[in-house]
């Protein structure tokens, strides 16, 4: 899938499943069959894309049904099936459908890490399909930077704090993407959310961890406009933006983030249209997030379970 051969992955997975593997391996292969069909749909258009999204849902629906009966069934793939189902809806430009899936997931996994992820994802869905606005300001060298400078490319906008203990894992994903997609239509823009009194430590941090992409730093912290207008209340926090400045996804992590960015960069390179060409169906606004904390805790997705 990561190599852009999603249809080949589907064939291999279906062959594997015919051999009646053990339950855990069957759940894993079933989940990835859905993921592979969804990945293939992003490299197709029209009826072909719709058919692949339908195949993705057909693959993962049994995992979702089992989780509704027992949320520990097929863990973590039952929860991950819900996130893929939401992705199917979002890929079709159906924000309302994605929000309903996250609502379902939040109820099924209420009181668990997966349920917390669903609640946050439901809130974040309001951004998907809308233009990314207001991400601009001075970088760590006082040079003006804005997200619209990167039109024509898939842009990963990374909100971060130098005090976030889990940032090395986040950074590892970004560096893999940067290396893998060198010369491709892809860019990263950092947005640091530490206070102005940490300006010098932030500059040293950026250098020490090897961040070589632009980093916006206005010193306003987690209570500033950049954080509050984008509902940044915990870490990690990011936006994947298409070549036209439209938000594709919010707060993905790990393989989920890597695969989406890789697939979208490949789509742009092939000249295929964005999933939000012509506008997306927008959900109703969710309840506002709780006040952001200057010392955010990690917010793990089901992919990290």
């Amino acid at each position: 899938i990561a190599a852009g051969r999603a249809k080949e992955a589907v064939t291999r997975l279906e062959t594997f499943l015919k051999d009646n593997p053990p339950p855990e391996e069957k759940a894993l292969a079933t989940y990835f069959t859905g993921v592979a069909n969804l990945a293939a749909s992003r490299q197709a258009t029209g009826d072909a894309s719709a058919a692949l999204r339908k195949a993705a849902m057909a693959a993962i629906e049994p995992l979702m049904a089992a989780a509704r009966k027992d949320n520990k069934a097929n863990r973590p793939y039952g929860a991950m099936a819900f996130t893929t189902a939401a992705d199917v809806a979002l890929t079709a430009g159906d924000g309302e459908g994605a929000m309903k899936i996250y609502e379902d997931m939040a109820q099924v996994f209420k009181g668990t890490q997966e349920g917390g992820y669903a609640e946050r994802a439901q809130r974040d869905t309001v951004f998907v399909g809308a233009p990314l606005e207001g991400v601009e300001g001075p970088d760590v060298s006082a040079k003006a930077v804005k997200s619209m400078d990167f039109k024509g490319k898939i842009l990963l906008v990374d909100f971060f704090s130098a005090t976030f203990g889990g940032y090395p894992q986040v950074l590892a994903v970004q560096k893999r993407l940067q290396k893998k997609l060198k010369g491709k239509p892809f860019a990263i823009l950092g947005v640091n959310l530490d206070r102005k009194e940490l300006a010098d430590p932030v500059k040293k941090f950026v250098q020490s961890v090897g961040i070589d992409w632009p980093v916006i730093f206005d010193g306003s912290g987690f209570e500033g406009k950049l954080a509050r207008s984008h509902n940044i209340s915990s870490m990690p926090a990011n936006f994947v933006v298409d070549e036209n400045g439209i938000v594709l996804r919010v707060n993905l992590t790990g393989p989920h983030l890597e695969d989406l960015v890789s697939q979208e960069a490949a789509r742009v390179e092939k000249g295929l249209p964005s999933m939000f060409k012509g506008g997306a169906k927008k959900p109703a606004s969710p309840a506002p997030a709780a006040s952001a904390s200057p010392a955010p805790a990690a917010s793990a997705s089901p992919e990290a379970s």
Side-chain angles (χ1 to χ4, degrees):
I1 297 169
R5 302 197 304 274
K7 289 185 178 180
E8 181 183 338
V10 171
T11 300
R12 291 187 180 192
L13 288 160
E14 289 177 343
T15 300
F16 177 75
L17 286 167
K18 286 178 182 177
D19 290 335
N20 195 27
E24 184 174 356
E25 292 182 12
K26 181 178 180 180
L28 172 63
T30 299
Y31 162 70
F32 271 111
T33 300
V35 171
N37 274 299
L38 176 58
S41 78
R42 294 194 180 107
Q43 305 301 315
T45 58
D47 291 344
S49 181
L52 288 163
R53 291 195 300 271
K54 185 176 181 179
M57 286 301 300
I60 60 178
E61 277 176 343
L63 294 176
M64 296 166 67
R68 291 188 187 100
K69 294 180 180 178
D70 176 6
N71 66 15
K72 294 183 177 63
N74 302 313
R75 196 169 185 178
Y77 310 116
M80 292 162 68
F82 280 85
T83 67
T84 299
D87 263 3
V88 171
L90 290 171
T91 300
D94 184 5
E96 288 181 359
M99 186 170 283
K100 289 178 181 177
I101 292 167
Y102 284 132
E103 286 176 359
D104 186 12
M105 181 180 175
Q107 287 298 314
V108 171
F109 295 95
K110 190 173 182 179
T112 68
Q113 182 187 50
E114 292 90 341
Y117 171 85
E119 290 174 358
R120 183 183 182 191
Q122 180 185 345
R123 186 190 76 222
D124 292 336
T125 298
V126 72
F127 291 103
V128 176
L132 182 71
E133 298 176 339
V135 179
E136 57 187 12
D139 69 6
V140 291
S141 301
K143 179 183 177 182
V145 182
K146 54 186 177 181
S147 59
M148 293 305 291
D149 293 339
F150 301 92
K151 283 196 74 172
K153 298 180 179 181
I154 297 301
L155 177 65
L156 173 59
V157 180
D158 172 46
F159 290 83
F160 75 99
S161 166
T163 65
F164 172 44
Y167 196 61
Q169 292 176 312
V170 175
L171 196 58
V173 173
Q174 295 173 355
K175 288 187 174 181
R176 281 199 298 271
L177 281 168
Q178 185 186 50
K179 182 178 180 180
K180 177 181 176 181
L181 300 178
K182 185 177 181 180
K184 307 289 185 180
F186 169 67
I188 304 173
L189 173 62
V191 182
N192 180 268
L193 297 177
D194 291 309
R195 301 289 297 182
K196 61 182 179 181
E197 54 266 27
L198 292 177
D200 287 338
V202 167
K203 290 178 183 178
K204 291 178 181 177
F205 176 80
V206 167
Q207 293 176 346
S208 67
V209 298
I211 294 176
D212 58 359
W213 49 82
V215 174
I216 292 174
F217 176 73
D218 67 4
S220 61
F222 280 81
E223 297 301 325
K225 182 179 178 181
L226 275 169
R228 296 186 69 83
S229 63
H230 295 91
N231 249 346
I232 309 301
S233 59
S234 59
M235 295 278 120
N238 60 61
F239 287 69
V240 179
V241 184
D242 78 3
E243 66 274 25
N244 302 309
I246 305 299
V247 177
L248 296 173
R249 296 290 187 278
V250 182
N251 296 331
L252 299 184
T253 59
H256 198 175
L257 175 63
E258 290 189 62
D259 286 348
L260 176 75
V261 169
S262 298
Q263 292 160 21
E264 286 297 310
R267 175 189 60 76
V268 174
E269 197 169 35
K270 292 176 182 178
L272 296 171
S274 172
M275 64 186 76
F276 291 119
K277 184 179 181 182
K281 188 175 181 181
K282 294 295 292 154
S285 298
S291 296
S293 165
S299 177
S301 76
E303 289 81 2
S305 297

